[in-house]
Amino acid sequence: MHPPHLAFSHLKRRVSIERVLSARGVMSSLKQHRQRLIGPCPVHHGDHPQAFVVDRAKDLWHCFTRCRGGGDVVELVRRMDHCQYPEVARYLAALAQVSPTPARAKATAAVRVYQPYTRTLRLDPHAPLLAQKGIWAQTAQHFEAGAYAGPGFLQGCVAIRLHDPDGRPIGYAGRRLDPAQARQYGKWTFPPGLPKREILYGFHRITSRLHQGLAVVECPWGVMRLAQIGMPAVALLGIQLSPTQIRLLRQTPCIVLMLDGDPAGSAASRQIADTLNQYTRAPVRRIDLPQGLDPDDLDDVELARRLLPLLP
Ligand SMILES: [Zn+2]
């Protein structure tokens, strides 16, 4: 690993503090005074209107209240996401759409950088798998999910549209329907290079309801099923929690974790709850499902019975 200043120099040239703040939707809370941006601190999430200052010419930031410090764009991302330098490098590289290190930049120049796929696919919301999961055709349509009949990596899949946290479509995930394929390659398939860690599935649909608390599940089916009974939910698309997901989950006052009822799910659930307790102020509650059951295996009454008492 390069010393941070070397590894980061090419990223800092490409990604400004303003670019990061804009990607995170905090530019609107900052006021512009000549070459400075001033506003509440997005690092410690304070509400003092002059705590946080960005010098755009020098591309440096400073927080005069709780953080009592500041630095460059690297330090900003490191502190906002509570992450290590390699993670910061990956994040900045994704924003700049380049490789995280200059050395690797040459070696992997041929590797494709993920380009959001924005075309809308024609999907059949009456797929038997969706009915089996208790998802109504109307819900599937709303979430842009359904059987895909075309060619490509989604061939023979139920496809589900994915969005970035701001609601911009970035492509589709596929749930393989052929049991043999699902066994061999896994149930889910994602576009090559998709920045999965930058996605919290369903987040953009519930931003106006964050104050109500949030259920966090593993997979999109749970999000759709909970939507049908009026409960805001998001899916991790796995059992790993990324810095971006932590940052998004910091915005809700209460989190209920309901991962799949398998050994991987329950181990992950404890670990994720610990991480969230450390980095968010929201009380984190866990629902451990019986062995072998996923949220979409429960009926509506059972889902509500387990979730309702835990949300504010
Ligand atoms: Zn601060």
Side-chain angles (χ1 to χ4, degrees), residues 244-277:
T244 293
Q245 292 172 335
I246 293 173
R247 174 178 63 80
L248 297 170
L249 289 172
R250 287 174 66 114
Q251 299 175 37
T252 188
C254 171
I255 297 169
V256 179
L257 261 183
M258 186 165 55
L259 303 189
D260 295 351
D262 52 43
S266 37
S269 176
R270 276 190 296 275
Q271 205 176 345
I272 289 173
D274 285 350
T275 308
L276 288 173
N277 276 322

PDB file of all heavy atoms in Angstrom, residues 244-277:
ATOM      1  N   THR A 244     -21.329   3.470   3.181  1.00  0.00           N
ATOM      2  CA  THR A 244     -22.435   4.241   2.605  1.00  0.00           C
ATOM      3  C   THR A 244     -23.751   3.849   3.271  1.00  0.00           C
ATOM      4  O   THR A 244     -24.583   4.701   3.588  1.00  0.00           O
ATOM      5  CB  THR A 244     -22.517   3.993   1.089  1.00  0.00           C
ATOM      6  OG1 THR A 244     -21.360   4.547   0.484  1.00  0.00           O
ATOM      7  CG2 THR A 244     -23.754   4.651   0.479  1.00  0.00           C
ATOM      8  N   GLN A 245     -23.945   2.553   3.487  1.00  0.00           N
ATOM      9  CA  GLN A 245     -25.183   2.106   4.122  1.00  0.00           C
ATOM     10  C   GLN A 245     -25.278   2.626   5.557  1.00  0.00           C
ATOM     11  O   GLN A 245     -26.337   3.058   5.992  1.00  0.00           O
ATOM     12  CB  GLN A 245     -25.257   0.577   4.073  1.00  0.00           C
ATOM     13  CG  GLN A 245     -25.436   0.078   2.640  1.00  0.00           C
ATOM     14  CD  GLN A 245     -25.330  -1.435   2.519  1.00  0.00           C
ATOM     15  OE1 GLN A 245     -24.703  -2.087   3.345  1.00  0.00           O
ATOM     16  NE2 GLN A 245     -25.944  -1.991   1.486  1.00  0.00           N
ATOM     17  N   ILE A 246     -24.150   2.630   6.271  1.00  0.00           N
ATOM     18  CA  ILE A 246     -24.149   3.176   7.634  1.00  0.00           C
ATOM     19  C   ILE A 246     -24.558   4.647   7.594  1.00  0.00           C
ATOM     20  O   ILE A 246     -25.412   5.093   8.351  1.00  0.00           O
ATOM     21  CB  ILE A 246     -22.755   3.040   8.294  1.00  0.00           C
ATOM     22  CG1 ILE A 246     -22.438   1.565   8.512  1.00  0.00           C
ATOM     23  CG2 ILE A 246     -22.697   3.810   9.600  1.00  0.00           C
ATOM     24  CD1 ILE A 246     -21.016   1.305   9.000  1.00  0.00           C
ATOM     25  N   ARG A 247     -23.972   5.372   6.659  1.00  0.00           N
ATOM     26  CA  ARG A 247     -24.273   6.805   6.555  1.00  0.00           C
ATOM     27  C   ARG A 247     -25.756   7.025   6.305  1.00  0.00           C
ATOM     28  O   ARG A 247     -26.385   7.895   6.907  1.00  0.00           O
ATOM     29  CB  ARG A 247     -23.442   7.409   5.410  1.00  0.00           C
ATOM     30  CG  ARG A 247     -23.744   8.844   5.101  1.00  0.00           C
ATOM     31  CD  ARG A 247     -22.829   9.348   4.000  1.00  0.00           C
ATOM     32  NE  ARG A 247     -23.006   8.671   2.734  1.00  0.00           N
ATOM     33  CZ  ARG A 247     -23.995   8.947   1.880  1.00  0.00           C
ATOM     34  NH1 ARG A 247     -24.882   9.864   2.171  1.00  0.00           N
ATOM     35  NH2 ARG A 247     -24.081   8.298   0.736  1.00  0.00           N
ATOM     36  N   LEU A 248     -26.360   6.232   5.437  1.00  0.00           N
ATOM     37  CA  LEU A 248     -27.782   6.403   5.132  1.00  0.00           C
ATOM     38  C   LEU A 248     -28.638   6.012   6.339  1.00  0.00           C
ATOM     39  O   LEU A 248     -29.632   6.668   6.646  1.00  0.00           O
ATOM     40  CB  LEU A 248     -28.164   5.576   3.903  1.00  0.00           C
ATOM     41  CG  LEU A 248     -27.452   5.990   2.605  1.00  0.00           C
ATOM     42  CD1 LEU A 248     -27.698   4.973   1.502  1.00  0.00           C
ATOM     43  CD2 LEU A 248     -27.922   7.381   2.157  1.00  0.00           C
ATOM     44  N   LEU A 249     -28.236   4.960   7.038  1.00  0.00           N
ATOM     45  CA  LEU A 249     -29.028   4.482   8.177  1.00  0.00           C
ATOM     46  C   LEU A 249     -28.922   5.410   9.382  1.00  0.00           C
ATOM     47  O   LEU A 249     -29.744   5.344  10.291  1.00  0.00           O
ATOM     48  CB  LEU A 249     -28.604   3.059   8.554  1.00  0.00           C
ATOM     49  CG  LEU A 249     -29.016   1.990   7.534  1.00  0.00           C
ATOM     50  CD1 LEU A 249     -28.401   0.641   7.872  1.00  0.00           C
ATOM     51  CD2 LEU A 249     -30.546   1.873   7.459  1.00  0.00           C
ATOM     52  N   ARG A 250     -27.915   6.279   9.371  1.00  0.00           N
ATOM     53  CA  ARG A 250     -27.798   7.259  10.459  1.00  0.00           C
ATOM     54  C   ARG A 250     -28.951   8.245  10.458  1.00  0.00           C
ATOM     55  O   ARG A 250     -29.154   8.979  11.406  1.00  0.00           O
ATOM     56  CB  ARG A 250     -26.496   8.057  10.310  1.00  0.00           C
ATOM     57  CG  ARG A 250     -25.252   7.279  10.660  1.00  0.00           C
ATOM     58  CD  ARG A 250     -24.034   8.102  10.350  1.00  0.00           C
ATOM     59  NE  ARG A 250     -23.975   9.269  11.209  1.00  0.00           N
ATOM     60  CZ  ARG A 250     -23.040   9.471  12.116  1.00  0.00           C
ATOM     61  NH1 ARG A 250     -22.080   8.603  12.272  1.00  0.00           N
ATOM     62  NH2 ARG A 250     -23.051  10.545  12.866  1.00  0.00           N
ATOM     63  N   GLN A 251     -29.700   8.288   9.354  1.00  0.00           N
ATOM     64  CA  GLN A 251     -30.740   9.307   9.222  1.00  0.00           C
ATOM     65  C   GLN A 251     -32.069   8.894   9.820  1.00  0.00           C
ATOM     66  O   GLN A 251     -33.043   9.629   9.755  1.00  0.00           O
ATOM     67  CB  GLN A 251     -30.923   9.647   7.739  1.00  0.00           C
ATOM     68  CG  GLN A 251     -29.652  10.202   7.111  1.00  0.00           C
ATOM     69  CD  GLN A 251     -29.803  10.421   5.627  1.00  0.00           C
ATOM     70  OE1 GLN A 251     -30.842  10.823   5.149  1.00  0.00           O
ATOM     71  NE2 GLN A 251     -28.750  10.134   4.880  1.00  0.00           N
ATOM     72  N   THR A 252     -32.173   7.697  10.379  1.00  0.00           N
ATOM     73  CA  THR A 252     -33.443   7.264  10.936  1.00  0.00           C
ATOM     74  C   THR A 252     -33.308   7.064  12.446  1.00  0.00           C
ATOM     75  O   THR A 252     -32.236   6.718  12.932  1.00  0.00           O
ATOM     76  CB  THR A 252     -33.922   5.955  10.246  1.00  0.00           C
ATOM     77  OG1 THR A 252     -35.237   5.660  10.675  1.00  0.00           O
ATOM     78  CG2 THR A 252     -32.997   4.792  10.543  1.00  0.00           C
ATOM     79  N   PRO A 253     -34.377   7.353  13.213  1.00  0.00           N
ATOM     80  CA  PRO A 253     -34.258   7.288  14.668  1.00  0.00           C
ATOM     81  C   PRO A 253     -34.397   5.875  15.241  1.00  0.00           C
ATOM     82  O   PRO A 253     -34.190   5.671  16.427  1.00  0.00           O
ATOM     83  CB  PRO A 253     -35.414   8.163  15.154  1.00  0.00           C
ATOM     84  CG  PRO A 253     -36.437   8.046  14.078  1.00  0.00           C
ATOM     85  CD  PRO A 253     -35.677   7.903  12.793  1.00  0.00           C
ATOM     86  N   CYS A 254     -34.767   4.906  14.428  1.00  0.00           N
ATOM     87  CA  CYS A 254     -34.969   3.565  14.960  1.00  0.00           C
ATOM     88  C   CYS A 254     -34.786   2.533  13.854  1.00  0.00           C
ATOM     89  O   CYS A 254     -35.308   2.691  12.759  1.00  0.00           O
ATOM     90  CB  CYS A 254     -36.377   3.469  15.547  1.00  0.00           C
ATOM     91  SG  CYS A 254     -36.814   1.805  16.004  1.00  0.00           S
ATOM     92  N   ILE A 255     -34.010   1.507  14.136  1.00  0.00           N
ATOM     93  CA  ILE A 255     -33.717   0.483  13.128  1.00  0.00           C
ATOM     94  C   ILE A 255     -34.124  -0.891  13.665  1.00  0.00           C
ATOM     95  O   ILE A 255     -33.766  -1.246  14.782  1.00  0.00           O
ATOM     96  CB  ILE A 255     -32.211   0.475  12.795  1.00  0.00           C
ATOM     97  CG1 ILE A 255     -31.788   1.809  12.171  1.00  0.00           C
ATOM     98  CG2 ILE A 255     -31.866  -0.686  11.858  1.00  0.00           C
ATOM     99  CD1 ILE A 255     -30.289   1.990  12.049  1.00  0.00           C
ATOM    100  N   VAL A 256     -34.886  -1.623  12.870  1.00  0.00           N
ATOM    101  CA  VAL A 256     -35.194  -3.015  13.219  1.00  0.00           C
ATOM    102  C   VAL A 256     -34.542  -3.911  12.176  1.00  0.00           C
ATOM    103  O   VAL A 256     -34.826  -3.818  10.982  1.00  0.00           O
ATOM    104  CB  VAL A 256     -36.710  -3.285  13.235  1.00  0.00           C
ATOM    105  CG1 VAL A 256     -36.971  -4.744  13.585  1.00  0.00           C
ATOM    106  CG2 VAL A 256     -37.407  -2.366  14.224  1.00  0.00           C
ATOM    107  N   LEU A 257     -33.641  -4.768  12.630  1.00  0.00           N
ATOM    108  CA  LEU A 257     -32.919  -5.671  11.729  1.00  0.00           C
ATOM    109  C   LEU A 257     -33.677  -6.981  11.633  1.00  0.00           C
ATOM    110  O   LEU A 257     -33.941  -7.622  12.642  1.00  0.00           O
ATOM    111  CB  LEU A 257     -31.566  -5.985  12.347  1.00  0.00           C
ATOM    112  CG  LEU A 257     -30.321  -5.257  11.887  1.00  0.00           C
ATOM    113  CD1 LEU A 257     -29.129  -5.844  12.633  1.00  0.00           C
ATOM    114  CD2 LEU A 257     -30.131  -5.383  10.401  1.00  0.00           C
ATOM    115  N   MET A 258     -34.021  -7.380  10.417  1.00  0.00           N
ATOM    116  CA  MET A 258     -34.696  -8.670  10.256  1.00  0.00           C
ATOM    117  C   MET A 258     -34.036  -9.413   9.093  1.00  0.00           C
ATOM    118  O   MET A 258     -34.504  -9.373   7.961  1.00  0.00           O
ATOM    119  CB  MET A 258     -36.198  -8.471  10.021  1.00  0.00           C
ATOM    120  CG  MET A 258     -36.929  -9.793   9.997  1.00  0.00           C
ATOM    121  SD  MET A 258     -38.728  -9.641  10.159  1.00  0.00           S
ATOM    122  CE  MET A 258     -39.123  -8.533   8.847  1.00  0.00           C
ATOM    123  N   LEU A 259     -32.915 -10.071   9.383  1.00  0.00           N
ATOM    124  CA  LEU A 259     -32.210 -10.799   8.339  1.00  0.00           C
ATOM    125  C   LEU A 259     -32.784 -12.213   8.233  1.00  0.00           C
ATOM    126  O   LEU A 259     -33.595 -12.622   9.043  1.00  0.00           O
ATOM    127  CB  LEU A 259     -30.703 -10.827   8.630  1.00  0.00           C
ATOM    128  CG  LEU A 259     -30.034  -9.461   8.790  1.00  0.00           C
ATOM    129  CD1 LEU A 259     -28.529  -9.600   8.858  1.00  0.00           C
ATOM    130  CD2 LEU A 259     -30.410  -8.493   7.666  1.00  0.00           C
ATOM    131  N   ASP A 260     -32.354 -12.936   7.212  1.00  0.00           N
ATOM    132  CA  ASP A 260     -32.882 -14.283   6.991  1.00  0.00           C
ATOM    133  C   ASP A 260     -32.545 -15.212   8.157  1.00  0.00           C
ATOM    134  O   ASP A 260     -31.508 -15.071   8.787  1.00  0.00           O
ATOM    135  CB  ASP A 260     -32.318 -14.863   5.689  1.00  0.00           C
ATOM    136  CG  ASP A 260     -32.795 -14.086   4.463  1.00  0.00           C
ATOM    137  OD1 ASP A 260     -33.692 -13.225   4.630  1.00  0.00           O
ATOM    138  OD2 ASP A 260     -32.292 -14.336   3.354  1.00  0.00           O
ATOM    139  N   GLY A 261     -33.436 -16.147   8.382  1.00  0.00           N
ATOM    140  CA  GLY A 261     -33.241 -17.088   9.486  1.00  0.00           C
ATOM    141  C   GLY A 261     -32.342 -18.246   9.109  1.00  0.00           C
ATOM    142  O   GLY A 261     -32.781 -19.379   9.078  1.00  0.00           O
ATOM    143  N   ASP A 262     -31.074 -17.952   8.782  1.00  0.00           N
ATOM    144  CA  ASP A 262     -30.107 -19.030   8.558  1.00  0.00           C
ATOM    145  C   ASP A 262     -28.860 -18.674   9.372  1.00  0.00           C
ATOM    146  O   ASP A 262     -28.744 -17.556   9.866  1.00  0.00           O
ATOM    147  CB  ASP A 262     -29.790 -19.187   7.060  1.00  0.00           C
ATOM    148  CG  ASP A 262     -29.395 -17.885   6.412  1.00  0.00           C
ATOM    149  OD1 ASP A 262     -28.608 -17.121   7.011  1.00  0.00           O
ATOM    150  OD2 ASP A 262     -29.870 -17.590   5.306  1.00  0.00           O
ATOM    151  N   PRO A 263     -27.930 -19.623   9.550  1.00  0.00           N
ATOM    152  CA  PRO A 263     -26.771 -19.343  10.409  1.00  0.00           C
ATOM    153  C   PRO A 263     -26.014 -18.086   9.969  1.00  0.00           C
ATOM    154  O   PRO A 263     -25.599 -17.283  10.801  1.00  0.00           O
ATOM    155  CB  PRO A 263     -25.902 -20.594  10.251  1.00  0.00           C
ATOM    156  CG  PRO A 263     -26.853 -21.675   9.879  1.00  0.00           C
ATOM    157  CD  PRO A 263     -27.930 -21.016   9.058  1.00  0.00           C
ATOM    158  N   ALA A 264     -25.853 -17.889   8.646  1.00  0.00           N
ATOM    159  CA  ALA A 264     -25.138 -16.699   8.163  1.00  0.00           C
ATOM    160  C   ALA A 264     -25.901 -15.442   8.561  1.00  0.00           C
ATOM    161  O   ALA A 264     -25.321 -14.465   9.024  1.00  0.00           O
ATOM    162  CB  ALA A 264     -24.982 -16.758   6.649  1.00  0.00           C
ATOM    163  N   GLY A 265     -27.223 -15.497   8.392  1.00  0.00           N
ATOM    164  CA  GLY A 265     -28.055 -14.340   8.709  1.00  0.00           C
ATOM    165  C   GLY A 265     -27.993 -13.966  10.175  1.00  0.00           C
ATOM    166  O   GLY A 265     -27.827 -12.802  10.515  1.00  0.00           O
ATOM    167  N   SER A 266     -28.077 -14.969  11.071  1.00  0.00           N
ATOM    168  CA  SER A 266     -28.122 -14.591  12.485  1.00  0.00           C
ATOM    169  C   SER A 266     -26.764 -14.123  12.986  1.00  0.00           C
ATOM    170  O   SER A 266     -26.696 -13.212  13.809  1.00  0.00           O
ATOM    171  CB  SER A 266     -28.722 -15.699  13.360  1.00  0.00           C
ATOM    172  OG  SER A 266     -28.327 -16.960  12.909  1.00  0.00           O
ATOM    173  N   ALA A 267     -25.674 -14.701  12.468  1.00  0.00           N
ATOM    174  CA  ALA A 267     -24.354 -14.207  12.862  1.00  0.00           C
ATOM    175  C   ALA A 267     -24.169 -12.775  12.369  1.00  0.00           C
ATOM    176  O   ALA A 267     -23.709 -11.900  13.095  1.00  0.00           O
ATOM    177  CB  ALA A 267     -23.254 -15.105  12.293  1.00  0.00           C
ATOM    178  N   ALA A 268     -24.574 -12.527  11.110  1.00  0.00           N
ATOM    179  CA  ALA A 268     -24.434 -11.195  10.534  1.00  0.00           C
ATOM    180  C   ALA A 268     -25.294 -10.204  11.304  1.00  0.00           C
ATOM    181  O   ALA A 268     -24.896  -9.058  11.519  1.00  0.00           O
ATOM    182  CB  ALA A 268     -24.833 -11.216   9.066  1.00  0.00           C
ATOM    183  N   SER A 269     -26.455 -10.639  11.707  1.00  0.00           N
ATOM    184  CA  SER A 269     -27.383  -9.755  12.397  1.00  0.00           C
ATOM    185  C   SER A 269     -26.758  -9.183  13.672  1.00  0.00           C
ATOM    186  O   SER A 269     -26.852  -7.985  13.941  1.00  0.00           O
ATOM    187  CB  SER A 269     -28.672 -10.528  12.703  1.00  0.00           C
ATOM    188  OG  SER A 269     -29.539  -9.736  13.452  1.00  0.00           O
ATOM    189  N   ARG A 270     -26.094 -10.059  14.434  1.00  0.00           N
ATOM    190  CA  ARG A 270     -25.444  -9.583  15.666  1.00  0.00           C
ATOM    191  C   ARG A 270     -24.344  -8.581  15.343  1.00  0.00           C
ATOM    192  O   ARG A 270     -24.239  -7.526  15.958  1.00  0.00           O
ATOM    193  CB  ARG A 270     -24.837 -10.766  16.423  1.00  0.00           C
ATOM    194  CG  ARG A 270     -25.825 -11.495  17.317  1.00  0.00           C
ATOM    195  CD  ARG A 270     -25.112 -12.500  18.211  1.00  0.00           C
ATOM    196  NE  ARG A 270     -24.475 -13.568  17.435  1.00  0.00           N
ATOM    197  CZ  ARG A 270     -25.125 -14.666  17.024  1.00  0.00           C
ATOM    198  NH1 ARG A 270     -26.401 -14.807  17.306  1.00  0.00           N
ATOM    199  NH2 ARG A 270     -24.503 -15.595  16.325  1.00  0.00           N
ATOM    200  N   GLN A 271     -23.555  -8.900  14.322  1.00  0.00           N
ATOM    201  CA  GLN A 271     -22.425  -8.042  13.973  1.00  0.00           C
ATOM    202  C   GLN A 271     -22.900  -6.688  13.440  1.00  0.00           C
ATOM    203  O   GLN A 271     -22.365  -5.645  13.795  1.00  0.00           O
ATOM    204  CB  GLN A 271     -21.605  -8.753  12.901  1.00  0.00           C
ATOM    205  CG  GLN A 271     -20.171  -8.310  12.872  1.00  0.00           C
ATOM    206  CD  GLN A 271     -19.384  -9.132  11.858  1.00  0.00           C
ATOM    207  OE1 GLN A 271     -19.840 -10.198  11.400  1.00  0.00           O
ATOM    208  NE2 GLN A 271     -18.233  -8.632  11.485  1.00  0.00           N
ATOM    209  N   ILE A 272     -23.930  -6.725  12.599  1.00  0.00           N
ATOM    210  CA  ILE A 272     -24.457  -5.486  12.023  1.00  0.00           C
ATOM    211  C   ILE A 272     -25.076  -4.628  13.116  1.00  0.00           C
ATOM    212  O   ILE A 272     -24.895  -3.409  13.149  1.00  0.00           O
ATOM    213  CB  ILE A 272     -25.470  -5.816  10.911  1.00  0.00           C
ATOM    214  CG1 ILE A 272     -24.722  -6.393   9.699  1.00  0.00           C
ATOM    215  CG2 ILE A 272     -26.271  -4.587  10.510  1.00  0.00           C
ATOM    216  CD1 ILE A 272     -25.631  -6.912   8.609  1.00  0.00           C
ATOM    217  N   ALA A 273     -25.783  -5.274  14.042  1.00  0.00           N
ATOM    218  CA  ALA A 273     -26.387  -4.515  15.141  1.00  0.00           C
ATOM    219  C   ALA A 273     -25.300  -3.821  15.958  1.00  0.00           C
ATOM    220  O   ALA A 273     -25.436  -2.646  16.315  1.00  0.00           O
ATOM    221  CB  ALA A 273     -27.224  -5.446  16.025  1.00  0.00           C
ATOM    222  N   ASP A 274     -24.192  -4.531  16.225  1.00  0.00           N
ATOM    223  CA  ASP A 274     -23.085  -3.925  16.972  1.00  0.00           C
ATOM    224  C   ASP A 274     -22.539  -2.708  16.234  1.00  0.00           C
ATOM    225  O   ASP A 274     -22.308  -1.665  16.821  1.00  0.00           O
ATOM    226  CB  ASP A 274     -21.934  -4.933  17.147  1.00  0.00           C
ATOM    227  CG  ASP A 274     -22.262  -5.975  18.205  1.00  0.00           C
ATOM    228  OD1 ASP A 274     -23.275  -5.795  18.913  1.00  0.00           O
ATOM    229  OD2 ASP A 274     -21.513  -6.965  18.293  1.00  0.00           O
ATOM    230  N   THR A 275     -22.307  -2.878  14.927  1.00  0.00           N
ATOM    231  CA  THR A 275     -21.754  -1.777  14.131  1.00  0.00           C
ATOM    232  C   THR A 275     -22.702  -0.587  14.127  1.00  0.00           C
ATOM    233  O   THR A 275     -22.282   0.559  14.310  1.00  0.00           O
ATOM    234  CB  THR A 275     -21.512  -2.235  12.678  1.00  0.00           C
ATOM    235  OG1 THR A 275     -20.746  -3.437  12.711  1.00  0.00           O
ATOM    236  CG2 THR A 275     -20.772  -1.185  11.892  1.00  0.00           C
ATOM    237  N   LEU A 276     -23.983  -0.849  13.943  1.00  0.00           N
ATOM    238  CA  LEU A 276     -24.947   0.245  13.900  1.00  0.00           C
ATOM    239  C   LEU A 276     -25.046   0.928  15.263  1.00  0.00           C
ATOM    240  O   LEU A 276     -25.162   2.148  15.350  1.00  0.00           O
ATOM    241  CB  LEU A 276     -26.317  -0.261  13.453  1.00  0.00           C
ATOM    242  CG  LEU A 276     -26.416  -0.647  11.968  1.00  0.00           C
ATOM    243  CD1 LEU A 276     -27.760  -1.287  11.680  1.00  0.00           C
ATOM    244  CD2 LEU A 276     -26.203   0.579  11.078  1.00  0.00           C
ATOM    245  N   ASN A 277     -24.983   0.137  16.331  1.00  0.00           N
ATOM    246  CA  ASN A 277     -25.029   0.737  17.666  1.00  0.00           C
ATOM    247  C   ASN A 277     -23.849   1.655  17.897  1.00  0.00           C
ATOM    248  O   ASN A 277     -23.937   2.643  18.604  1.00  0.00           O
ATOM    249  CB  ASN A 277     -25.056  -0.351  18.742  1.00  0.00           C
ATOM    250  CG  ASN A 277     -26.475  -0.855  18.968  1.00  0.00           C
ATOM    251  OD1 ASN A 277     -27.431  -0.076  18.934  1.00  0.00           O
ATOM    252  ND2 ASN A 277     -26.619  -2.149  19.173  1.00  0.00           N
TER     253      ASN A 277
END
